[in-house]
């Protein structure tokens, strides 16, 4: 048997490879959604389609990658050593259409050992509206270009005809080509680094070490779960609407904890809806894994072994597993956040000290217009003024940390860089007083942002998200965080409240978009809050006001 020191060395080598791949991606991608906001993820997956190593990026990406690998290997059971593979189809292991996943196979002695994988959110993927999110979509074909598992190269040579076809179907082909090239480069870097590890240790030793890594993570996870109270628990989370005729859409989690096993049954969730908040199968599997991981120790190795105690039961045709053809682009945020929330609410009864208040919900804006400084068209995705995280038994929630599905992995990036790249001026960008859910440990604050748009002629805005009705969930007696409130203030006209799902909203040049984002949910009875912490809250609010 391989010795534990070698296993630890190899585990850290694999993690370091994933981290280096991420750094390469960050420094070579073209779009601000990648090189500033970091909306991409890296993983190393073995030939059995098991997650072996990842870097700290976007959890909802990584949790779905093994399902993408399964779809890819079903289509290409004998991959070629020198080729690059690509997919984005949510019904074939993808999350949603903007997330393109690049695979590079890694061989030793003529045998497939690993996949080097990079999933990245592209700024546009075609479809009926700019920026990929289309609240008006009623079927996936309204949402953009759909890519099944395919070879992007042939005998190691890039298929230029295929790349041209893909780039021709998006609004900013230069960015698309550059971002895809960055993905390929990062994945090939993973191939290079892992090939060196295989040469140093040998394929047999590496495979044996992987089994030991997965088994160790499983033992660690089971040792934690076994301390939770056995029982059957229920939790719910509610979405505002689907943008059409459905409101207060419920995700229901029926969770059984027995010994060191956890079964999550989501079959009683509401039926799938018309709009794009339906979830693909791989995305829901990922969201359930995220909720489970959040209740484990922070230092547990998050590979396939850590999730062996977890069983997931789904029913096709529900909001959490839509039938093929339904629109799903919003699903990586919503209903992912609500799936996580429902499960945490349920398991808070079994392990209250590990549960946390709800994290704020995602409400994004995509702006399209012309930059008067260059005359070029642009698409800008708003990652600023992010919502607050939930409080926990360890303390107050993080302010403006973002949503549960990304766990702080998506950054809002530099305000100054955004202003230099786009015709935008951030008049304010600060914490929002009163937005945090009260509790023994309060949620984090949301944001207060005033953004002035200085385009050449009117811009168009799309909104997509949740949280204008239901704020982040308070837990164990904690209060909910405040909902979002977005307002368009034209230079010559009345103020207009922005809905959470609408397209092609005219934004005259000189308009200000005032964003008040929601805070995180509180943890525990507010009456038990430390008086000094309460006084500090009041001081912070008074200073911000």
């Amino acid at each position: 048997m391989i010795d534990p020191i070698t296993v630890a060395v190899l585990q850290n080598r694999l993690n370091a490879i994933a981290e280096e791949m991420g750094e390469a991606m960050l420094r070579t991608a073209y779009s601000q959604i990648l090189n500033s906001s970091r909306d991409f993820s890296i993983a190393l997956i073995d030939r059995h389609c098991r997650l072996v190593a990842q870097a700290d990026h976007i959890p909802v990406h990584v949790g779905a990658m093994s399902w993408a690998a399964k779809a890819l290997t079903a289509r290409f059971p004998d991959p070629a050593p020198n080729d690059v593979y690509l997919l984005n189809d949510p019904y074939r292991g993808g999350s949603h259409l903007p997330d393109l996943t690049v695979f590079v196979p890694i061989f030793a002695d003529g045998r497939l050992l690993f996949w080097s994988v990079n999933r990245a959110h592209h700024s546009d993927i075609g479809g009926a509206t700019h920026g990929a999110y289309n609240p008006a979509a009623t079927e996936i074909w309204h949402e953009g270009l759909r890519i099944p598992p395919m070879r992007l190269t042939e005998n190691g040579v890039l298929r230029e005809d295929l790349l041209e076809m893909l780039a021709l179907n998006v609004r900013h082909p230069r960015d698309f080509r550059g971002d895809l090239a960055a993905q390929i480069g990062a994945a090939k870097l993973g191939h290079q680094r892992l090939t060196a590890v295989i040469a140093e240790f040998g394929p047999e030793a590496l495979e044996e070490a992987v089994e030991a890594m997965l088994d160790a993570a499983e033992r660690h996870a089971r040792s934690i779960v076994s301390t939770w109270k056995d029982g059957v628990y229920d939790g719910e989370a509610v979405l505002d609407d689907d943008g059409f005729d459905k409101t207060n859409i419920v995700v229901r989690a029926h969770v059984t904890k027995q010994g060191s096993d956890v079964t999550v049954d989501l079959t009683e969730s509401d039926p799938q809806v018309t709009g794009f908040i339906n979830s693909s199968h791989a995305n829901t599997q990922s969201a359930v894994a995220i909720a489970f991981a959040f209740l484990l120790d922070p230092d547990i190795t998050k590979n396939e072994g850590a999730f062996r105690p977890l069983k997931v039961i789904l029913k096709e045709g529900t909001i959490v597993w839509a039938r093929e053809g339904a629109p799903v682009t919003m699903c990586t945020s919503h209903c992912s956040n609500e799936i996580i929330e429902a499960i945490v609410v349920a398991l808070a009864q079994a392990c209250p000290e590990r549960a946390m208040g709800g994290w704020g919900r995602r409400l994004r804006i995509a702006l399209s217009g012309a930059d008067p400084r260059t005359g070029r068209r642009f698409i800008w995705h708003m990652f600023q003024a992010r919502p607050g995280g939930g409080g926990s038994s360890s303390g107050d929630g993080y302010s403006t940390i973002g949503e549960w599905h990304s766990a702080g992995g998506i950054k809002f990036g530099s305000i100054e860089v955004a202003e230099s790249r786009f015709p935008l001026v951030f008049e304010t960008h600060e914490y929002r007083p009163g937005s945090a859910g009260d509790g023994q440990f309060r949620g984090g604050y949301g944001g207060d942002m005033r953004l002035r748009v200085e385009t050449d002629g009117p811009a168009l805005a799309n909104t997509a998200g949740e949280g204008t009705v239901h704020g982040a969930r308070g837990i164990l007696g904690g209060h909910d965080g405040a909902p979002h409130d977005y307002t368009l203030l034209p230079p010559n006209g009345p103020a207009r409240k922005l809905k959470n799902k609408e397209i092609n909203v005219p934004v005259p040049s000189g308009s200000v978009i005032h964003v008040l984002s929601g805070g995180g949910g509180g943890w525990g009875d507010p009456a038990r809050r430390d008086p000094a912490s309460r006084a500090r809250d009041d001081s912070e609010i008074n200073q911000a006001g």
Side-chain angles (χ1 to χ4, degrees):
M1 294 180 62
I2 193 167
D3 65 276
I5 293 177
T6 302
V7 173
V9 168
L10 285 169
Q11 178 76 76
N12 283 284
R13 286 283 292 273
L14 297 184
N15 291 342
I17 290 169
E19 290 169 4
E20 186 182 3
M21 291 167 63
E23 290 301 307
M25 179 68 184
L26 179 67
R27 285 161 171 74
T28 56
Y30 280 36
S31 299
Q32 58 89 25
I33 196 171
L34 300 177
N35 62 30
S36 180
S37 297
R38 303 175 182 234
D39 197 350
F40 63 85
S41 299
I42 304 295
L44 298 175
I45 292 175
D46 74 0
R47 63 189 177 92
H48 303 293
C49 300
R50 301 177 302 185
L51 176 65
V52 175
Q54 60 172 303
D56 290 332
H57 291 119
I58 315 300
V60 78
H61 283 168
V62 179
M65 284 186 186
S66 61
W67 298 92
K70 291 172 186 176
L72 182 69
T73 54
R75 175 65 182 83
F76 297 101
D78 296 307
N82 297 320
D83 280 341
V84 176
Y85 297 82
L86 180 70
L87 68 79
N88 79 338
D89 187 5
Y91 295 100
R92 285 159 182 80
S95 300
H96 62 173
L97 293 181
D99 287 344
L100 269 64
T101 309
V102 167
F103 297 82
V104 171
I106 301 167
F107 282 73
D109 300 329
R111 183 168 61 94
L112 176 68
L113 286 189
F114 284 92
W115 293 98
S116 176
V117 188
N118 181 331
R119 177 166 288 187
H121 186 126
H122 285 243
S123 63
D124 190 78
I125 196 64
T129 189
H130 69 270
Y133 292 84
N134 180 9
T138 59
E139 55 186 13
I140 196 170
W141 296 278
H142 297 157
E143 297 189 292
L145 187 61
R146 190 174 173 191
I147 306 169
M150 63 170 53
R151 268 197 310 266
L152 194 58
T153 62
E154 193 165 2
N155 297 320
V157 179
L158 182 67
R159 294 183 57 190
E160 287 289 349
D161 57 343
L162 178 57
L163 180 59
E164 183 177 358
M165 186 277 290
L166 297 175
L168 189 64
N169 280 278
V170 301
R171 289 171 176 80
H172 291 268
R174 175 184 176 274
D175 284 0
F176 178 86
R177 285 175 174 268
D179 291 338
L180 185 58
Q183 284 190 263
I184 295 169
K188 286 191 171 183
L189 176 62
H191 176 281
Q192 179 183 344
R193 295 290 189 260
L194 195 49
T195 298
V197 171
I198 294 169
E200 181 179 350
F201 289 87
E204 293 79 11
L206 182 55
E207 286 191 294
E208 189 176 346
V210 165
E211 297 300 331
M213 294 172 199
L214 302 184
D215 290 345
E218 179 183 6
R219 287 193 300 271
H220 191 172
R222 290 191 181 278
S223 71
I224 296 167
V225 174
S226 63
T227 66
W228 303 351
K229 181 181 176 182
D230 284 350
V232 178
Y233 309 104
D234 291 295
E236 292 185 354
V238 184
L239 295 105
D240 294 352
D241 60 75
D242 73 335
F244 290 90
D245 57 347
K246 295 291 191 302
T247 59
N248 297 322
I249 302 153
V250 183
V251 174
R252 298 179 179 88
H254 183 72
V255 184
T256 302
K257 188 271 169 180
Q258 182 65 45
S260 64
D261 292 300
V262 174
T263 300
V264 175
D265 185 341
L266 300 177
T267 58
E268 295 304 313
S269 298
D270 280 358
Q272 69 182 70
V273 295
T274 304
F276 65 173
I277 60 171
N278 299 297
S279 184
S280 61
H281 178 269
N283 183 74
T284 291
Q285 292 282 354
S286 182
V288 176
I290 292 170
F292 182 67
F294 285 167
L295 300 173
L296 301 176
D297 291 348
D299 61 350
I300 190 170
T301 303
K302 295 174 182 66
N303 57 31
E304 188 270 347
F307 302 105
R308 287 174 180 168
L310 182 63
K311 179 181 178 182
V312 183
I313 303 174
L314 306 175
K315 182 169 71 174
E316 194 172 11
T318 59
I319 188 77
V320 298
W321 184 11
R323 293 189 176 89
E324 184 162 351
V328 296
T329 295
M330 198 66 223
C331 73
T332 53
S333 297
H334 304 287
C335 56
S336 282
N337 252 40
E338 288 70 27
I339 293 169
I340 297 167
E341 189 171 278
I343 294 168
V344 171
V345 167
L347 282 172
Q349 304 166 74
C351 54
E353 74 289 348
R354 290 179 175 270
M356 68 291 293
W359 285 39
R361 303 187 175 197
R362 178 80 167 118
L363 179 48
R364 60 179 292 288
I365 296 174
L367 278 175
S368 177
D371 188 335
R373 300 169 299 183
T374 64
R376 291 198 297 263
R377 303 289 300 177
F378 69 90
I379 297 175
W380 177 76
H381 294 263
M382 188 192 81
F383 284 95
Q384 283 70 23
R386 300 183 72 72
S392 71
S393 62
S394 298
D396 296 342
Y398 293 106
S399 295
T400 62
I401 187 68
E403 308 81 22
W404 243 334
H405 74 280
S406 59
I410 294 178
K411 316 296 183 184
F412 61 71
S414 166
I415 295 295
E416 291 77 15
V417 170
E419 289 179 331
S420 70
R421 291 179 178 176
F422 301 96
L424 307 171
V425 176
F426 291 84
E427 295 182 346
T428 61
H429 191 259
E430 55 195 33
Y431 292 155
R432 176 190 178 187
S435 57
D438 202 1
Q440 180 179 350
F441 297 104
R442 63 163 173 78
Y445 294 120
D448 182 341
M449 181 187 80
R450 294 176 64 92
L451 176 72
R452 190 168 73 249
V453 180
E454 297 184 339
T455 48
D456 182 5
L460 290 176
N462 295 341
T463 66
E466 279 286 319
T468 57
V469 177
H470 300 285
R473 180 76 167 269
I475 202 164
L476 299 170
H479 293 178
D480 293 354
H484 301 307
D485 185 351
Y486 285 23
T487 306
L488 174 64
L489 303 169
N492 299 300
R496 180 190 191 284
K497 290 293 184 185
L498 294 174
K499 300 176 183 178
N500 59 16
K501 300 175 183 71
E502 54 182 326
I503 62 171
N504 297 331
V505 178
V507 180
S509 186
S511 296
V512 170
I513 300 174
H514 188 198
V515 171
L516 295 169
S517 63
W523 184 96
D525 184 355
R528 300 183 63 183
R529 185 159 181 77
D530 176 66
S533 297
R534 179 74 66 196
R536 187 169 62 249
D537 294 341
D538 294 340
S539 173
E540 289 172 352
I541 290 171
N542 291 334
Q543 290 175 12

